[in-house]
Amino acid sequence: MNPATLKGRSLVNWKDWTPEEIRYLLELSHTAKKASHNRDVHQRFLGKTLAMIFEKRSTRTRCAFETAFGEEGGHPVFLSTQDIQLGAKESIEDTARVLGRMFSAIEFRGYNQDTVEILAAKSGIPVYNGLTDDYHPTQALADVMTLEEAFGKLEGRTMCFVGDGRNNVVRSLLIISAKLGLNLTVVSPKKLFPEQAILDEVAGWAVQSGAKIAVSEDLDAVKGADCVYTDVWVSMGEESYSEERRRLLFPYQVNAALMARTENPAVIFMHCLPAVKGQEVSIDVIESPSSRVWDQAENRKHTIKAIMLATL
Ligand code: CP
Ligand code: NVA
């Protein structure tokens, strides 16, 4: 893989990235983390600018992009859609063309996947998906980095996602796991299974990488898991489903009993955060020594820096 081929690339989801390219980003992420812990100072984004568009709230993603870009000498500009013309007075295409004339790259967090894809198609600069209703690709890279730190290699390891099986985080985990050879079982009520279309889409990559991708409504499917992962029951923008989700997902709470069903004393717990403690995860599990959620949060910054280093 020639790293020069990544210059100018966008990340709207992982579908058009090869396993070799994703592995390269992972290596770069581990290197960036070591350099950061050594307090090495680089100015690799000096003279560059990043437009950061947010339709939805964020702590980790915003702070990861802003600090990763700023500490390398770049100038990040936070653009809340409360304040800019996008979606109100101006089309996405026109906003894309204007930002493309002024910035080096764009980060977008919001509702429609189409928006980030139009920005990528029309701006002429790299565009990074910081979460849409459909995908959360930068999260998935931090997640596999965290698994590598815990286990060394991803191949042969099994992650079980327990909860809302059709959300943005799960879709991105399905794609990255299938590409990198990580086994992933999604455990959720039938009504919240991942769509067949995404399962069909990842099946081919899984055959090539050797990843076993499975879906089950049975909590016993967590047996043997190396990692149990969960996310909120109600994603941003889905607040009207709160009642139904609580009813459907109550039996799927990740608590000590669920962790014990893995029958693996070395199992780790992961969550993209923010967490609703006492809902999708019990306080004792998220606060336990097996919880890797703070490493995961920190790794958002190193992986996002790696993505920008590779593409800018
Ligand atoms: N995990 C994550 O994306 O967190 P934020 O919503 O705080 O960015
Ligand atoms: N699925 C969650 C992830 C938050 C980081 C949401 O979309 O709200």
Side-chain angles (χ1 to χ4, degrees):
M1 205 278 302
N2 176 5
T5 60
L6 300 181
K7 297 291 174 210
R9 284 276 286 278
S10 290
L11 171 58
V12 296
N13 63 48
W14 291 114
K15 289 181 191 179
D16 53 358
W17 286 69
T18 67
E20 293 67 34
E21 289 167 344
I22 304 172
R23 275 196 206 97
Y24 171 78
L25 292 180
L26 272 173
E27 287 313 308
L28 209 53
S29 306
H30 290 295
T31 307
K33 185 169 186 173
K34 278 192 207 102
S36 162
H37 286 198
N38 277 340
R39 305 201 179 280
D40 296 349
V41 176
H42 301 282
Q43 294 283 280
R44 290 171 287 190
F45 299 140
L46 197 65
K48 294 194 184 342
T49 50
L50 173 69
M52 299 172 44
I53 307 174
F54 282 82
E55 287 179 346
K56 291 178 176 173
R57 286 172 182 275
S58 169
T59 297
R60 278 142 288 268
T61 309
R62 176 182 174 177
C63 295
F65 271 102
E66 201 155 334
T67 57
F69 199 69
E71 73 185 18
E72 293 278 347
H75 182 63
V77 179
F78 179 75
L79 302 167
S80 151
T81 48
Q82 305 291 317
D83 307 312
I84 59 173
Q85 309 283 14
L86 173 73
K89 261 181 133 174
E90 195 161 43
S91 68
I92 306 159
E93 288 84 348
D94 289 359
T95 302
R97 288 182 290 186
V98 172
L99 297 181
R101 298 286 180 110
M102 299 192 189
F103 287 91
S104 315
I106 300 170
E107 179 278 350
F108 172 81
R109 164 171 289 201
Y111 295 91
N112 295 327
Q113 179 67 15
D114 281 353
T115 309
V116 74
E117 295 191 2
I118 294 169
L119 288 171
K122 301 290 180 190
S123 65
I125 54 178
V127 173
Y128 314 116
N129 180 352
L131 179 148
T132 61
D133 291 347
D134 293 351
Y135 302 104
H136 198 1
T138 62
Q139 178 70 51
L141 191 67
D143 297 340
V144 289
M145 178 186 185
T146 309
L147 287 172
E148 283 194 339
E149 289 176 334
F151 302 119
K153 276 175 64 175
L154 300 172
E155 288 91 346
R157 295 292 177 172
T158 300
M159 178 153 82
C160 281
F161 181 95
V162 182
D164 174 12
R166 35 134 310 285
N167 80 9
N168 42 15
V169 167
V170 180
R171 285 197 200 98
S172 290
L173 286 173
L174 281 165
I175 298 168
I176 210 161
S177 302
K179 293 219 170 191
L180 297 183
L182 171 70
N183 302 329
L184 177 62
T185 303
V186 179
V187 183
S188 72
K190 264 208 175 90
K191 197 161 180 204
L192 298 175
F193 273 4
E195 296 89 349
Q196 196 53 47
I198 182 93
L199 295 173
D200 292 345
E201 208 168 3
V202 305
W205 300 318
V207 169
Q208 281 174 18
S209 71
K212 296 190 195 80
I213 305 292
V215 175
S216 174
E217 59 176 337
D218 184 356
L219 288 171
D220 280 332
V222 303
K223 191 174 165 190
D226 296 293
C227 169
V228 174
Y229 191 127
T230 193
D231 183 12
V232 289
W233 289 348
V234 183
S235 287
M236 289 180 277
E238 301 187 333
E239 289 73 15
S240 61
Y241 295 96
S242 298
E243 266 315 303
E244 184 193 50
R245 292 287 167 73
R246 264 199 286 276
R247 189 170 42 76
L248 286 170
L249 287 165
F250 182 72
Y252 291 83
Q253 185 193 60
V254 177
N255 50 34
L258 186 282
M259 294 297 275
R261 280 168 102 140
T262 63
E263 296 179 19
N264 176 6
V267 65
I268 64 169
F269 171 73
M270 287 174 54
H271 191 309
C272 56
L273 303 179
V276 185
K277 296 179 189 177
Q279 207 169 81
E280 74 272 6
V281 59
S282 63
I283 295 180
D284 56 332
V285 167
I286 198 168
E287 299 294 349
S288 72
S290 61
S291 174
R292 297 298 169 101
V293 299
W294 313 117
D295 294 332
Q296 240 181 308
E298 180 191 333
N299 289 341
R300 297 296 308 288
K301 176 173 175 174
H302 307 302
T303 43
I304 280 170
K305 184 182 275 191
I307 292 163
M308 294 193 291
L309 283 173
T311 54
L312 279 178

